[in-house]
Amino acid sequence: MADFTHFDGKGNAQMVDVTDKAVSQRQAIATGMVTMQADTLRMIAEGSHKKGDVLAIARIAGIQAAKKTADLIPLCHPLMLSSVKVDFELNHANNTVEIRAMCKLAGQTGVEMEALSAVSVAALTIYDMCKAVDKGMRISDIQLEEKQGGRSGHWQREQTDD
């Protein structure tokens, strides 16, 4: 296992110096889900929520979160993202909204935190917009699925049979 990079030799927090790292194409994909009552999911699917299009607002919130990650998470580098996509899949069998975010750039550091932030804030936005009708919603399984680029190359989560 690699050493933690956000600490100096004395254990003090530090922003990683990426000055000498090569610029490369980088991409990260993260996923997560919001589980809810069947009626809440139906309301989202039909677009009948009184607050408006829940998924459109959650998509914008996710994109904004990716762009603001360095403001939210200490020691993250501010990045010039070239693409952020946030998509949703409604799973009526499990009463879930499945969230997938993909972030890309050409840069000196990865975009994993941006993709994870996009999924997290999209999920929180769904919760916020629907909490009046379903306070028992559950946000879960936020995780990195894949990253490409940089010195460590390509990484992909192993698929498990759950």
Side-chain angles (χ1 to χ4, degrees):
M1 176 179 262
D3 292 329
F4 289 113
T5 58
H6 287 84
F7 297 100
D8 66 15
K10 296 179 181 176
N12 297 312
Q14 67 177 1
M15 180 182 256
V16 175
D17 185 353
V18 297
T19 306
D20 296 328
K21 290 176 85 176
V23 171
S24 66
Q25 299 294 320
R26 296 162 185 268
Q27 175 177 307
I29 297 170
T31 59
M33 69 174 66
V34 182
T35 305
M36 60 196 64
Q37 296 173 5
D39 287 344
T40 308
L41 185 60
R42 184 180 37 74
M43 187 182 302
I44 291 170
E46 294 172 354
S48 61
H49 195 290
K50 68 179 182 178
K51 290 186 177 182
D53 187 339
V54 172
L55 299 182
I57 301 302
R59 178 175 285 112
I60 292 168
I63 292 168
Q64 282 297 107
K67 293 166 52 175
K68 293 288 191 179
T69 299
D71 294 334
L72 299 169
I73 300 175
L75 309 180
C76 275
H77 293 86
L79 301 179
M80 200 59 142
L81 296 169
S82 58
S83 178
V84 178
K85 293 181 180 165
V86 178
D87 295 306
F88 305 97
E89 185 174 323
L90 305 182
N91 184 327
H92 293 278
N94 295 327
N95 294 322
T96 59
V97 176
E98 297 168 2
I99 307 164
R100 181 181 188 272
M102 187 272 304
C103 295
K104 291 168 87 171
L105 61 62
Q108 295 168 292
T109 190
V111 290
E112 296 91 340
M113 296 310 299
E114 287 70 16
L116 289 162
S117 294
V119 168
S120 299
V121 172
L124 288 167
T125 301
I126 291 168
Y127 187 95
D128 180 51
M129 291 188 74
C130 298
K131 68 183 182 286
V133 297
D134 187 355
K135 288 179 181 38
M137 288 176 288
R138 186 176 72 249
I139 296 169
S140 65
D141 299 317
I142 296 171
Q143 58 192 18
L144 182 67
E145 296 292 342
E146 184 176 6
K147 61 91 46 199
Q148 296 179 45
R151 187 175 49 216
S152 63
H154 185 223
W155 176 88
Q156 191 167 13
R157 178 174 298 284
E158 278 188 36
Q159 299 302 315
T160 59
D161 296 328
D162 289 340

